[in-house]
Amino acid sequence: MELQKPRGTRDFLFEEMKERKFVENTMRKVFETYGYQEIKTPIFEDLSLFTLKSGEGIIEEIYHFQDKGGRDLALRPELTAPVARIYLNQLQKAPKPIKMYYFGSCFRYERPQAGRFRQFWQLGCELIGGKSPDCQAEIIALAAQCLEELNLEDYQIHLGNLGILRGILNQDGVSADQQDQIMAIVDKGDVEELKKLLKECKIGEKSGHILLELVGMQGPQKIIDDVKTIIKDYPDALESLKELEELLIILESFGFADYTVNLGIARGLDYYTGCVFEIYVEGLGAQKQISGGGTYNLIEVFGGDQVESAGFAFGFDRVMEALKNQNTKQPLKNRLEVFVAPISSETKLNAFEIAQKLRKKGIPTDVELVGRKLKKILSFADNSGARFVVLVGARDLENGEVTIKDMETGNQEQIPIERVADVLDNRINPSK
Ligand code: HAM
């Protein structure tokens, strides 16, 4: 029988896991530097959590099932809705703003391709109860700092505000459901489909033209003046544009000026309300979006008060891919420092004792568990990357000693057993 992993899933072996761990830890540190605290939510939730307001696109992609008790459950496709649920269940009375971050796997039944998986990881955050666009500016600065600390080059941050398109649609009396459909098509970037849908929604000719023009508009800050002229007859849309302008001013004080204004950002999920952003890395091809987020209103949709919220998530696998394409080498620490080798089977138990002493001192240590001859143990230890081998021989033991072999220089020296842990610790961590 051939055992295959499910389509769209991956296994990660040692080197890849080391790289992923390094990137994860680097990002975690940045999130914590900005005052975020980690939370964890279940991998599966009630299906209704995601069908309420996540949008048509994502509902089609949900892995859902009934458990033995007949409950409709879903593997989470994202983490914003679970975090909104936590807020409603446990945090409504907590002092605001509440800053939470998460790292976890998500599941979407999509056609697998480069950068698009059925199980993938998100590292993201939610900021509940703060004011937009100040919050938006802070999370954009946070996202950028993560990428800077990872030395990722050539990423572009695109900023928009959904209120501009929605303001025009509202003024033309387009229903909320139809608006969600329109936003989903804008997100896919399918202009022909968009033209068809605008006709079906009986949107006015002038508004239709304006919408088509806006979704193709992107560029530096100065395009805002052109947008202002185009939407001058739509007061709500103008209000949202003002919010976007304000965001750009605030971003300056967060030390940030490198962005593209992009009015075609619609986001694939239905809960966004105002400022939105996406980060792209061109080299990744069709799945170039490594991160996305914005302001949203899920808590009210779930029956809570109106609480302004903002957040974003990195597609962790895409960040890894972008770093790999760029050949960015992460400073990875070797797993193993010491290998303890009994010279004969009689010294096996002494070898175990010494290995335990080293491990208790925090020194990454391996010990022979296969009963091999010394020559084979040394070659295995060398391949494992051990810097030192502790040779445990009967004659040395009689003198209360072991031999330490430096695998780089080949030098060997005898050390009293009671000092072996201190001596190795000093060599491995000289600055301690
Ligand atoms: P999203 O844009 O659907 O937003 O997903 C966030 C990121 O996850 C995307 O930018 C992308 O990099 C990555 N991603 C999405 N689908 C896949 C996939 N099939 N394979 C690999 N990577 C993928 C959200 O999920 C929102 N909850 C983000 C957010 C947080 N908004 C506010 N707070």
Side-chain angles (χ1 to χ4, degrees), residues 78 80 108 110 115 117 122 126 267 271-272 289 311-312 315:
E78 58 107 40
T80 306
R108 295 186 190 177
E110 301 190 272
F117 308 100
Q122 283 192 353
E126 310 300 337
R267 306 289 297 127
Y271 46 63
Y272 295 102
Q289 193 199 121
F312 77 97

Side-chain angles (χ1 to χ4, degrees), residues 221-280:
Q221 184 180 16
K222 61 179 194 300
I223 71 163
I224 290 210
D225 289 335
D226 302 336
V227 180
K228 236 180 241 169
T229 317
I230 295 169
I231 62 171
K232 63 181 186 331
D233 299 327
Y234 298 85
D236 286 352
L238 274 171
E239 206 47 47
S240 295
L241 184 66
K242 230 163 85 192
E243 194 189 28
L244 180 58
E245 267 187 298
E246 208 188 321
L247 169 66
L248 303 184
I249 292 165
I250 300 167
L251 273 173
E252 254 174 67
S253 59
F254 276 92
F256 200 82
D258 196 8
Y259 51 73
T260 301
V261 173
N262 180 345
L263 299 181
I265 299 181
R267 306 289 297 127
L269 299 151
D270 281 352
Y271 46 63
Y272 295 102
T273 49
C275 290
V276 281
F277 73 100
E278 291 181 347
I279 306 181
Y280 309 129

